[in-house]
Amino acid sequence: MGVLGEAATQALIPIASLIGIGFALLQWYVVSKIKVFSYSEDYASYADEQLMQKQNGEEDEEEEEGVDGGVAAAKCGEIQNAISVGAQSFLFTQYKYLGAFTLTFSLVIFLFLGSVKRFSTKSEPCTYTRDKLCKPALANAVFSTMSFLLGALTSVLSGYLGMKIATFANARTTLEARKGVGSAFRTAFRSGAVMGFLLASNGLLVLYITINVFRLYYKDDWEGLFESITGYGLGGSSMALFGRVGGGIYTKAADVGADLVGKVERNIPEDDPRNPAVIADNVGDNVGDIAGMGSDLFGSYAESSCAALFVASISSFGTDHDLSAISYPLLISAMGIIVCLITTLFATNFSKIKNNTEIGPVLKRQILISTVLMTVGIAVVTFLALPASFTLFNFGSAKNVRNWHLFFCVSIGLWAGLVIGYTTEYYTSNAYSPVRDVADSCRTGAATNVIFGLALGYKSVIIPIFAIAVAIYVSFRLAAMYGIAIAALGMLSTIATGLSIDAYGPISDNAGGIAEMAGMSRKIRQRTDALDAAGNTTAAIGKGFAIGSAALVSLALFGAYVSRAGITAVDVLSPKVFVGLIVGAMLPYWFSAMTMKSVGSAALKMVEEVRRQFNTIPGLMEGRTKPDYANCVKISTDASLREMIPPGALVVVAPLIAGTIFGVETLAGLLAGSLVSGVQVAISASNSGGAWDNAKKYIEAGVSDHARSLGPKGSDAHKAAVIGDTIGDPLKDTSGPSLNILIKLMAVESLVFAPFFAAHGGWLF
């Protein structure tokens, strides 16, 4: 047993969670102190206050160039309100659909798992310690269903809270940009931190409470307890899939429609209030990149924790009933919250941003600081919580492991995440040559831009795959499948920081859109553009982390599935395994085809609607009349809710069909094929899309002689860049990010249903 006793372990995990929640609420309180006016009567009091400040010499806001500050503030409030109402309306409608799916699928879980032993209420011999009796199969069905519902609820809550803080903070970031880029950055980053810390802390706290409540029934049957806990990860990923796909279709339908008609055909700015799709586009940033991304990373965290806990429960940790050792994955996450809290202070309190060029380096340092501090934190947790040596389950045999082996497993996952993050930044930031080469290719038109962007995406896969491969090899050699599970957890241990810089991106993007629509000065729009450009890169880094962690999580879940299904070896030369392998490798392409076509269909309707409004509403182009924003919001909402069902059904149904009809070995092949293929497609799609986006922004910003030679906005090179960006939008925000959920969800679903497949699967083989 480790130095850390059971009582200390039981106290530290909830304390760290509550500290994280308290820190998130503190950041929210600081942001809420910034005033936003939505009503004309507020403007009178605002104007009086400004006059008094000027008379007293207290005015600290820069004068607007031809725009009254109070009018701009009131406009910001109105736009923020429209975005918030649109995002909330979409999510509530989506959650009604997801509520029906959740109840139906929870019934499927109960019936499938309950039928393994014909709904028997008798205790059964344990799977891994045959001389001991475990709780009946019916209990596993009931508790797996309950944990699935809890995971789904926590995932939905994570996405919703993220959306609320993002729509609360966007206009406040715009208003703070009047004081300087530093104030605007701190507001956007603090708001991102609210989401990051709430998600990490809530996920850990709910999982901790669930385990302790389930223990009241399971008592010393840890094998049954942690088998049922795997449903928590399934619930999280199920909601994440539909959130990512639905939100991705919504945001990209609006974005593509707004860009193609507004920027290419009408030659008006990206967030011009005359563009009918502009509100839908800003709503989409919140429902796709905030709510969807929050649910996605919560799913990764839940699944890696569940995989590690399950493998630990069938090892000596479980048989010795060493709670501090079995809680090791939760202690890593708890330490991660404390480390990320310290890291956040470096961005908000210890450094002052004075000009636009400092934003990117500060965000990049967040990842490096959290990784260095977390390495120390992992060492502390490892040597306090774990005994000096122990045995781990290794496909039927026992593997002797030392505690420092696990330190290396978690650390290599953590540092592999850093490598993936920095590689992603290199290939998607316009500060480096790959994106500048893509921008330069726009000189000869859209075709060469697309060719260069695709080549960049394919090339960007190389280093992340080597990083993942090294992490897998080292962690498996040191600690078998448990090593891979905690390496995935290591990559996600700094999830609060990762989410903070990820959520910062859409908040800054919205802030820039609001500045444009409110008619604010060019100086302020330059500041919000600088925030947005850095946010694009951090969003790409966040997607890189999500995909890398998904690869490790899926492999850990695959190992747990193989153990639970009673498979001793997966032989790729066996026809039934190879059939599963090749079909599994095809599934990411099928899924991507469905999501890309969905975006295309929805964008087609959006383009037609935007064109119709420009052609039929008198005075719209001159700015004398307001467009019908609501109709564009409705088109995006209807299309995304309708189109998210087929790709979601493909992912949910594929493992059930494979396991039930073809058996556990074919399903093992299916999981391996989808993992190997899905990771490559996801990385290349996300990075191609990110590169095209930043190539366009590089031309628009015109900060170098090279960029100015390609511009200005409206030039042929710029139009070619906009077309590339439009192609990349569904790749980086719909198909790419959704693929990591595909490989995770199929793996965790197979793990949950493994007892049914082992008992009743393989009708055909």
Side-chain angles (χ1 to χ4, degrees):
M1 187 171 283
V3 177
L4 206 61
E6 183 173 329
T9 304
Q10 289 286 298
L12 286 173
I13 296 166
I15 286 171
S17 301
L18 293 171
I19 288 171
I21 292 169
F23 184 71
L25 294 175
L26 175 64
Q27 300 303 305
W28 176 84
Y29 174 74
V30 172
V31 173
S32 71
K33 300 291 282 181
I34 301 162
K35 292 179 181 177
V36 175
F37 302 126
S38 299
Y39 305 102
S40 55
E41 57 263 28
D42 287 330
Y43 171 54
S45 61
Y46 174 87
D48 291 341
E49 187 184 321
Q50 293 297 298
L51 185 64
M52 284 178 65
Q53 283 186 350
K54 281 184 178 179
Q55 288 169 349
N56 296 333
E58 298 171 5
E59 179 63 42
D60 64 347
E61 293 184 354
E62 293 188 13
E63 283 294 314
E64 295 292 320
E65 296 162 16
V67 178
D68 185 282
V71 173
K75 278 186 179 177
C76 285
E78 288 172 20
I79 297 161
Q80 180 196 51
N81 189 52
I83 294 169
S84 180
V85 168
Q88 194 156 297
S89 171
F90 170 77
L91 286 184
F92 279 148
T93 311
Q94 186 185 51
Y95 292 157
K96 285 177 190 171
Y97 282 76
L98 294 184
F101 163 79
T102 303
L103 293 174
T104 305
F105 199 64
S106 60
L107 186 62
V108 171
I109 294 170
F110 176 74
L111 293 174
F112 271 56
L113 295 183
S115 66
V116 172
K117 298 287 185 181
R118 302 185 186 281
F119 299 94
S120 167
T121 55
K122 293 180 181 176
S123 296
E124 299 281 338
C126 297
T127 307
Y128 301 98
T129 46
R130 303 296 297 177
D131 57 335
K132 183 182 162 196
L133 284 179
C134 282
K135 298 294 182 185
L138 184 62
N140 179 241
V142 171
F143 283 96
S144 292
T145 305
M146 286 168 60
S147 59
F148 168 77
L149 291 170
L150 278 169
L153 185 65
T154 312
S155 180
V156 164
L157 185 67
S158 300
Y160 181 75
L161 288 174
M163 182 279 297
K164 286 298 287 182
I165 183 62
T167 54
F168 179 80
N170 48 19
R172 287 172 167 80
T173 303
T174 309
L175 293 172
E176 284 297 282
R178 298 183 304 179
K179 296 179 181 177
V181 71
S183 295
F185 170 80
R186 283 192 296 277
T187 302
F189 191 83
R190 280 194 169 109
S191 307
V194 175
M195 180 186 180
F197 282 91
L198 278 180
L199 186 143
S201 305
N202 283 338
L204 178 61
L205 189 61
V206 173
L207 183 57
Y208 169 81
I209 292 169
T210 304
I211 291 167
N212 279 282
V213 170
F214 283 15
R215 273 183 72 200
L216 298 175
Y217 171 78
Y218 277 102
K219 296 184 170 64
D220 64 342
D221 176 11
W222 287 23
E223 184 183 305
L225 166 63
F226 290 106
E227 271 192 17
S228 62
I229 286 294
T230 55
Y232 185 73
L234 177 59
S237 260
S238 299
M239 297 302 102
L241 175 70
F242 290 104
R244 261 297 194 194
V245 173
I249 293 168
Y250 184 108
T251 183
K252 291 306 112 182
D255 199 358
V256 170
D259 279 1
L260 283 181
V261 183
K263 293 169 79 171
V264 177
E265 294 181 11
R266 297 283 173 163
N267 198 23
I268 59 176
E270 183 165 359
D271 291 299
D272 195 295
R274 293 172 291 176
N275 194 325
V278 74
I279 292 289
D281 185 11
N282 282 291
V283 169
D285 290 335
N286 294 290
V287 299
D289 292 342
I290 294 279
M293 177 263 297
S295 293
D296 178 6
L297 282 174
F298 166 75
S300 285
Y301 163 75
E303 285 158 341
S304 58
S305 300
C306 291
L309 289 166
F310 172 73
V311 177
S313 72
I314 58 177
S315 302
S316 64
F317 297 157
T319 53
D320 297 346
H321 290 88
D322 185 351
L323 186 69
S324 60
I326 210 164
S327 300
Y328 180 62
L330 304 182
L331 288 166
I332 290 170
S333 299
M335 177 59 76
I337 291 171
I338 305 303
V339 163
C340 290
L341 191 155
I342 297 166
T343 305
T344 301
L345 299 177
F346 280 90
T348 56
N349 296 71
F350 301 156
S351 62
K352 300 287 184 186
I353 289 178
K354 294 185 175 64
N355 59 62
N356 296 352
T357 57
E358 294 174 9
I359 301 169
V362 166
L363 290 170
K364 263 172 50 181
R365 278 201 298 273
Q366 284 286 293
I367 306 171
L368 182 61
I369 292 165
S370 63
T371 302
V372 171
L373 292 178
M374 191 62 204
T375 307
V376 178
I378 293 164
V380 172
V381 169
T382 302
F383 295 110
L384 286 180
L386 297 176
S389 65
F390 40 88
T391 58
L392 291 174
F393 183 83
N394 185 22
F395 299 113
S397 62
K399 183 177 178 68
N400 289 315
V401 179
R402 308 282 295 176
N403 55 11
W404 60 267
H405 290 168
L406 294 192
F407 165 74
F408 277 109
C409 290
V410 184
S411 298
I412 199 163
L414 177 69
W415 284 89
L418 184 76
V419 170
I420 292 169
Y422 276 3
T423 305
T424 305
E425 193 231 0
Y426 174 72
Y427 279 105
T428 57
S429 169
N430 55 31
Y432 304 105
S433 60
V435 170
R436 294 188 176 193
D437 289 343
V438 172
D440 192 61
S441 72
C442 295
R443 288 183 295 108
T444 49
T448 45
N449 179 29
V450 170
I451 292 166
F452 269 69
L454 287 174
L456 178 147
Y458 298 148
K459 192 176 179 183
S460 71
V461 170
I462 299 168
I463 295 174
I465 291 298
F466 275 118
I468 292 167
V470 169
I472 289 169
Y473 181 79
V474 172
S475 54
F476 188 82
R477 290 286 293 175
L478 289 175
M481 273 300 166
Y482 186 69
I484 293 173
I486 59 169
L489 207 59
M491 198 178 281
L492 290 164
S493 59
T494 54
I495 188 173
T497 293
L499 268 168
S500 299
I501 64 171
D502 212 348
Y504 157 89
I507 291 168
S508 301
D509 191 359
N510 263 200
I514 290 170
E516 183 81 49
M517 285 186 277
M520 287 187 148
S521 71
R522 185 169 173 271
K523 187 182 287 184
I524 286 172
R525 290 203 296 274
Q526 283 175 337
R527 289 170 185 165
T528 56
D529 284 349
L531 295 173
D532 184 22
N536 270 337
T537 303
T538 60
I541 292 171
K543 292 183 181 90
F545 265 100
I547 295 163
S549 64
L552 293 176
V553 168
S554 301
L555 189 57
L557 291 165
F558 175 75
Y561 159 74
V562 168
S563 301
R564 199 174 179 193
I567 303 170
T568 52
V570 180
D571 181 8
V572 294
L573 297 177
S574 164
K576 53 187 176 184
V577 174
F578 192 80
V579 165
L581 197 67
I582 201 162
V583 171
M586 173 273 296
L587 285 177
Y589 291 93
W590 189 1
F591 178 84
S592 296
M594 294 168 87
T595 50
M596 291 287 283
K597 191 179 177 188
S598 296
V599 171
S601 302
L604 193 64
K605 290 176 184 161
M606 187 66 74
V607 166
E608 288 169 349
E609 172 61 18
V610 175
R611 279 178 181 159
R612 182 194 69 77
Q613 291 199 32
F614 274 124
N615 292 332
T616 60
I617 299 177
L620 178 57
M621 195 62 192
E622 293 76 26
R624 297 195 309 272
T625 315
K626 277 191 174 182
D628 182 1
Y629 297 125
N631 212 29
C632 290
V633 170
K634 185 177 185 302
I635 287 171
S636 262
T637 302
D638 293 347
S640 58
L641 293 173
R642 184 177 61 254
E643 298 283 353
M644 76 178 182
I645 295 167
L650 173 71
V651 179
V652 171
V653 170
L656 294 177
I657 292 174
T660 306
I661 298 176
F662 301 102
V664 288
E665 291 182 29
T666 302
L667 178 53
L670 189 86
L671 296 179
S674 66
L675 166 60
V676 169
S677 155
V679 172
Q680 327 279 339
V681 179
I683 294 173
S684 64
S686 292
N687 288 350
S688 284
W692 276 318
D693 191 0
N694 274 337
K696 176 200 71 175
K697 284 189 164 57
Y698 174 71
I699 294 171
E700 289 176 347
V703 291
S704 67
D705 291 339
H706 176 242
R708 284 189 287 273
S709 72
L710 299 170
K713 289 183 181 181
S715 67
D716 288 343
H718 179 247
K719 285 180 179 177
V722 170
I723 290 168
D725 175 38
T726 307
I727 295 168
D729 273 338
L731 285 171
K732 73 179 173 68
D733 290 325
T734 310
S735 296
S738 302
L739 280 172
N740 65 67
I741 307 176
L742 173 139
I743 58 177
K744 290 183 303 186
L745 180 56
M746 286 174 58
V748 74
E749 186 182 344
S750 302
L751 173 60
V752 169
F753 285 98
F756 175 82
F757 298 146
H760 303 300
W763 297 349
L764 198 60
F765 292 162

